[in-house]
Amino acid sequence: MGLFDFLKPPDISQGVREFQSTPGAVLLDVRTAEEYRDGHIPGSKNAPLDSMEVVLSAVPERDTPLFVYCYSGARSRQATGALRHMGYSSVKNIGGIAAWRGKVEY
């Protein structure tokens, strides 16, 4: 581990693999509905950053593992803080779809 490793963005490919191997996990895309329609990671649910309260009804169990991404990783970092504040105990920012090289759904 290097001195500046904390500056590296999360590896979204690793995050998606971790999501896929975690039973009961939910993959959240916190971009706008329009961005989500323009292409998203298969299996993800859209919960725009400015509407985080939708997660409460979509994922009522607060111990559900949540894997969160956006375009670059900035909004997902904000969203993970908001979700933790809402009482979710297992929340991980996996970065931005801009770095994703896998399939997308429209």
Side-chain angles (χ1 to χ4, degrees):
M1 177 176 219
L3 180 60
F4 295 101
D5 282 352
F6 69 93
L7 295 174
K8 285 189 202 171
D11 179 348
I12 193 165
S13 297
Q14 174 61 34
V16 170
R17 284 191 299 273
E18 192 176 332
F19 155 71
Q20 292 169 335
S21 67
T22 304
V26 175
L27 182 60
L28 293 177
D29 182 327
V30 297
R31 298 175 302 149
T32 65
E34 182 178 18
E35 288 173 301
Y36 185 79
R37 283 191 300 271
D38 286 343
H40 55 273
I41 298 172
S44 65
K45 296 180 184 295
N46 188 220
L49 179 60
D50 62 357
S51 304
M52 286 278 81
E53 66 277 357
V54 302
V55 178
L56 293 169
S57 58
V59 186
E61 298 298 323
R62 305 289 170 92
D63 60 347
T64 300
L66 301 176
F67 292 82
V68 185
Y69 74 93
C70 62
Y71 180 76
S72 68
R75 284 178 281 180
S76 54
R77 184 174 41 252
Q78 292 176 345
T80 56
L83 290 163
R84 287 184 185 115
H85 186 73
M86 293 163 58
Y88 288 93
S89 60
S90 180
V91 183
K92 183 171 186 174
N93 174 12
I94 64 168
I97 195 171
W100 175 246
R101 300 293 172 245
K103 290 184 180 183
V104 295
E105 289 181 340
Y106 299 94

